[in-house]
Amino acid sequence: GMCAVTIAILDTPQMQRLRGLKQLGVSEMTYMTTTHCRFEHSLGVAHLAEQVMLNIRKCQPLLNITDKDVLCVKIAGLCHDLGHGPFSHIYDGPFQRLRAEARKKGCWLGQEFPKEK
């Protein structure tokens, strides 16, 4: 179910904005009935995150997973796409290449990487 905290997050403009961002890019141009937005995707991720946490808690009682832990992971799943813009995964390839170059140089945006041990 959805607790008050989850509902409060869902009611924010930042979450509602995800309703207009397509999860599947332009695939609906080929498959007309294929519709899935980042809002729907985030709801599914939140649900699965909660189910995984509940299962881990059941199977690994020594971890002492609390209801608060479960809620925090659920909220993380719900909010994980908030920074996405339209077609934002287009930039994944170039970003990964830039990151690899930065790793070789040892800095990113003027910040040095910590020395690896």
Side-chain angles (χ1 to χ4, degrees):
M2 292 201 199
C3 66
V5 174
T6 306
I7 292 170
I9 293 169
L10 288 171
D11 285 341
T12 64
Q14 292 83 4
M15 281 301 299
Q16 292 302 312
R17 172 186 160 273
L18 296 179
R19 289 180 183 272
L21 298 180
K22 295 176 184 176
Q23 178 70 18
L24 302 176
V26 295
S27 63
E28 69 182 49
M29 302 303 273
T30 302
Y31 304 99
M32 307 321 177
T33 59
T34 301
T35 56
H36 187 60
C37 64
R38 291 202 180 275
F39 183 83
E40 294 166 337
H41 167 72
S42 295
L43 289 175
V45 172
H47 172 74
L48 292 175
E50 179 181 42
Q51 294 304 305
V52 166
M53 287 297 289
L54 292 172
N55 191 47
I56 292 171
R57 180 166 68 182
K58 182 177 129 188
C59 295
Q60 299 288 331
L62 295 177
L63 293 176
N64 296 319
I65 294 174
T66 66
D67 287 342
K68 185 176 180 180
D69 296 328
V70 174
L71 179 61
C72 286
V73 172
K74 179 181 179 179
I75 290 171
L78 186 64
C79 296
H80 83 279
D81 267 352
L82 287 178
H84 272 293
F87 305 108
S88 57
H89 284 297
I90 288 172
Y91 304 104
D92 286 351
F95 175 77
Q96 294 301 331
R97 284 190 295 280
L98 287 171
R99 198 180 101 208
E101 289 174 23
R103 175 106 15 230
K104 286 179 190 172
K105 292 178 185 174
C107 73
W108 176 264
L109 301 174
Q111 299 294 313
E112 288 191 21
F113 291 127
K115 302 291 182 208
E116 294 184 22
K117 296 177 183 179

